[in-house]
Amino acid sequence: MEIDPFIFRLSIFILSIFIGYYVVWSVTPSLHTPLMSVTNAISSVIIVGAIIAALAGNNENIFNESSIFGFLAIILAAVNIFGGFLVTQRMLAMYKKKKK
Amino acid sequence: MISTNLLALFYLVSGVLFILALRGLSSPETSRQGNFFGILGMSIAVIVTFLSIGNFSTSFIYVVLFLLIGGGVGAFIAFKIPMTAMPELVAGFHSLVGLAAVFVAISAFLNPEAFNLGASGNIKLASLIEMSIGAAVGAVTFSGSIIAFLKLRGIMSGAPITFTGQHVLNLFILISIIGLTYFLCVSQSPNLFWTLIVISFLVGILLIIPIGGADMPVVISMLNSYSGWAAAGIGFTLENTALIITGALVGSSGAILSYIMCKGMNRSFFSVILGGFGGTDHISKSDSKEQKPVKSGNSDDAAFLMKNASSVIIVPGYGMAVAQAQHALREMVDTLKKNGIKVSYAIHPVAGRMPGHMNVLLAEANVPYDEVFELEEINNDFSNCDVAYVIGANDVTNPVAKTDPQSPIYGMPILDVEKAKSVLFVKRSLSPGYAGVDNDLFYRENTLMLFADAKKMTEDIIKSF
């Protein structure tokens, strides 16, 4: 019997939780705020779903009832992606070592 | 057009780059490179999605346009936001992830053909369940984050809002969500789908309103985690590896941060969720203590004590951020260092309104990160230090947490400030902190209270030096 592809995705999901667990515990506490802003930015990779949804409309009717939600989601996710990565960049640039 | 297999491989690459982005945060030196990996991963995911659809028609132009509009707004916010407002910003960003998840789920429900999920009205069962989970968690994240945002911004009072039957109501709603999902899967009715989303919005609101201002670090971390699970739910629906990996990473990251914050306050995650902490109900306890003698001093006394010290530990808290005193503080420390005094900073895990908030504020004021220490690293040093300068922190220094089992903060790990030879405590009045508990430290023999605004007092000390 063939394995359902869902099982593969579930495996990826479970293994990623474990990777996340170990990677995040090794994040230094002084960088917890940048951690939150960067996780926020990367979770906006949901934009790929929004793009597929937005482009599903046909040429005569670009904004149909389903693609309009895709377009709205693109805006929201884009705010997050640019905002999240840039604010993280801005914060990380401030962390400096003692000048000797 | 690129093949589905190749596309999946590229999404896997994105996922790996996101893991490296988080890995980079294990030290400030590697963190900037980590952020670059994150940006690279995101760019790959977006570009291959465009290539896979290959529909470079008028719609495509609109997609790029909307992307740039959103990106412009995001970039503008990122450059303008003051560092003190990071908690609000992060809460606001979480709400956007949540809402985007809801929108993508709606779009997939209305047009399942576009995502290969079957036909409208006859969506594959597994996809429908995943979609419902993604939409429900997304909606909870959205409305919960909005409430958190309003509380952090001060638009809404930070006091917990509780009413009788609250927990029963929440339980009832939770059961109704499970029921709704079941009937939705049976009937595929759009009305049930909409109802599910509306009720989930309501859950988000009900979940966050009873939680008080003191517990905000936990709330933000928790919502961070939810936004990850919402993304993972959508990832399963869209069969997208990058989204599944990212969702799992973000979900576990938020969960770990919530755990660290709860531990920092010695509170169980469950009691935070049930809410009601940080209200007015504990304040009456402090009445009996008001007559105790307190030693207070001015900036000259403080400067004198510090001048004769050989080591000073600074204990900053959220009050420092409110008074915008971080730059003045760094100047004061520069003066101390010029006089050959050893200075370090001690940060409690729950100082500030979100995990790591104090560290960012100090970094902004050009404090080198290797002078800033976490609770476990520095707590033993207090007994050897001459002066502890407490600025804007309160509950996290209260020795009652170690001695009085009746106290609401009993068992909370605290900074052993009282072991320093002298304690300088900058505060406007003797009012209790967030937890509503009177601070025993005020009345100690070795404590000198400096009643003033944190910024003004710090500046005055520099002048008196």
Side-chain angles (χ1 to χ4, degrees):
Chain A
M1 209 180 103
E2 223 174 303
I3 300 170
D4 190 323
F6 172 80
I7 303 299
F8 283 117
R9 285 192 284 276
L10 188 68
S11 317
I12 294 173
F13 179 64
I14 302 290
L15 291 175
S16 301
I17 291 178
F18 277 91
I19 293 174
Y21 180 84
Y22 290 108
V23 169
V24 172
W25 270 117
S26 73
V27 170
T28 163
S30 68
L31 292 175
H32 276 164
T33 299
L35 171 68
M36 296 194 90
S37 60
V38 85
T39 49
N40 194 72
I42 63 173
S43 57
S44 303
V45 72
I46 202 160
I47 198 167
V48 301
I51 293 172
I52 298 171
L55 289 180
N58 48 32
N59 272 337
E60 292 83 55
N61 188 8
I62 295 169
F63 298 103
N64 64 28
E65 59 166 358
S66 104
S67 72
I68 192 97
F69 281 106
F71 279 109
L72 290 174
I74 288 178
I75 297 188
L76 299 177
V79 171
N80 253 335
I81 293 172
F82 283 77
F85 279 126
L86 289 173
V87 86
T88 309
Q89 191 93 325
R90 210 182 122 201
M91 279 191 275
L92 294 177
M94 299 186 309
Y95 281 81
K96 293 191 186 78
K97 243 193 152 115
K98 205 183 315 190
K99 277 186 220 109
K100 281 274 159 78
Chain B
M1 198 92 181
I2 58 175
S3 79
T4 324
N5 285 336
L6 192 58
L7 184 66
L9 284 175
F10 273 116
Y11 284 143
L12 181 63
V13 172
S14 289
V16 171
L17 286 168
F18 291 152
I19 295 171
L20 292 175
L22 299 194
R23 183 74 187 101
L25 291 170
S26 55
S27 102
E29 285 106 66
T30 54
S31 62
R32 285 170 279 259
Q33 190 192 26
N35 201 40
F36 171 74
F37 283 139
I39 296 171
L40 190 65
M42 186 63 75
S43 312
I44 292 176
V46 171
I47 291 169
V48 296
T49 309
F50 281 143
L51 293 177
S52 75
I53 298 173
N55 170 12
F56 296 105
S57 58
T58 339
S59 310
F60 180 73
I61 297 165
Y62 278 103
V63 167
V64 174
L65 183 72
F66 280 50
L67 205 133
L68 291 177
I69 293 173
V73 173
F76 179 78
I77 297 171
F79 284 117
K80 285 282 166 205
I81 193 88
M83 286 298 140
T84 38
M86 276 315 290
E88 294 101 292
L89 180 75
V90 168
F93 277 170
H94 288 157
S95 74
L96 298 185
V97 180
L99 196 58
V102 174
F103 284 166
V104 174
I106 292 176
S107 188
F109 184 79
L110 295 174
N111 187 5
E113 289 93 343
F115 297 93
N116 283 325
L117 306 176
S120 196
N122 186 22
I123 301 171
K124 282 187 280 182
L125 182 65
S127 308
L128 198 56
I129 297 173
E130 291 153 3
M131 208 183 283
S132 311
I133 295 174
V137 180
V140 171
T141 311
F142 170 69
S143 54
S145 302
I146 294 286
I147 300 292
F149 176 83
L150 294 176
K151 284 194 172 196
L152 287 164
R153 215 58 272 199
I155 298 169
M156 205 172 135
S157 154
I161 300 168
T162 46
F163 51 88
T164 40
Q166 197 160 21
H167 303 319
V168 182
L169 178 69
N170 288 346
L171 189 69
F172 173 74
I173 293 179
L174 188 72
I175 294 168
S176 73
I177 283 185
I178 297 169
L180 268 173
T181 313
Y182 174 75
F183 286 114
L184 175 65
C185 293
V186 176
S187 71
Q188 307 246 351
S189 149
N191 287 337
L192 287 178
F193 188 67
W194 296 118
T195 319
L196 178 72
I197 292 175
V198 171
I199 291 187
S200 304
F201 278 135
L202 198 66
V203 173
I205 298 171
L206 288 171
L207 205 60
I208 307 301
I209 54 167
I211 304 181
D215 285 337
M216 273 304 151
V218 185
V219 171
I220 300 192
S221 316
M222 193 174 86
L223 291 166
N224 186 234
S225 181
Y226 289 175
S227 69
W229 305 130
I234 302 294
F236 274 101
T237 321
L238 308 185
E239 308 182 345
N240 184 311
T241 341
L243 252 176
I244 295 176
I245 296 177
T246 316
L249 290 178
V250 178
S252 50
S253 165
I256 290 173
L257 290 176
S258 313
Y259 170 78
I260 296 174
M261 292 300 109
C262 285
K263 217 171 138 241
M265 295 191 290
N266 189 38
R267 315 240 293 118
S268 75
F269 187 67
F270 217 63
S271 68
V272 172
I273 298 287
L274 292 179
F277 192 68
T280 48
D281 35 334
H282 303 298
I283 286 182
S284 52
K285 267 201 75 183
S286 60
D287 289 346
S288 56
K289 292 184 177 174
E290 240 150 56
Q291 299 306 318
K292 283 194 188 172
V294 170
K295 278 198 291 181
S296 78
N298 58 26
S299 57
D300 291 332
D301 304 328
F304 177 79
L305 272 171
M306 288 200 205
K307 238 184 247 176
N308 291 312
S310 61
S311 68
V312 172
I313 298 179
I314 314 271
V315 182
Y318 188 66
M320 178 197 79
V322 175
Q324 294 284 343
Q326 57 270 37
H327 294 276
L329 182 67
R330 211 260 336 209
E331 277 170 41
M332 185 187 90
V333 170
D334 285 348
T335 319
L336 292 176
K337 280 198 230 157
K338 250 179 246 157
N339 285 275
I341 301 162
K342 188 177 162 279
V343 187
S344 33
Y345 297 79
I347 308 232
H348 191 274
V350 293
R353 289 278 182 87
M354 74 185 288
H357 192 196
M358 278 304 125
N359 302 78
V360 174
L361 293 173
L362 291 177
E364 190 197 15
N366 287 321
V367 173
Y369 61 81
D370 40 1
E371 287 176 12
V372 183
F373 298 94
E374 305 301 320
L375 181 122
E376 308 88 62
E377 296 172 320
I378 200 165
N379 228 6
N380 290 329
D381 297 350
F382 279 106
S383 45
N384 302 321
C385 96
D386 299 306
V387 175
Y389 187 68
V390 184
I391 173 167
N394 187 359
D395 292 333
V396 299
T397 64
N398 195 342
V400 158
K402 287 184 286 193
T403 53
D404 180 10
Q406 303 300 314
S407 170
I409 61 167
Y410 180 71
M412 176 168 131
I414 66 153
L415 290 160
D416 295 332
V417 175
E418 82 279 3
K419 288 185 183 157
K421 283 204 192 78
S422 11
V423 178
L424 295 171
F425 206 113
V426 189
K427 206 169 179 310
R428 284 197 216 201
S429 68
L430 282 179
S431 62
Y434 257 143
V437 190
D438 199 28
N439 194 341
D440 203 32
L441 194 63
F442 299 165
Y443 315 104
R444 293 281 171 120
E445 197 51 28
N446 57 343
T447 304
L448 188 67
M449 297 298 295
L450 305 170
F451 292 112
D453 171 74
K455 188 179 179 190
K456 178 138 196 324
M457 176 53 72
T458 309
E459 283 167 349
D460 287 348
I461 294 176
I462 302 171
K463 279 183 215 144
S464 312
F465 222 84

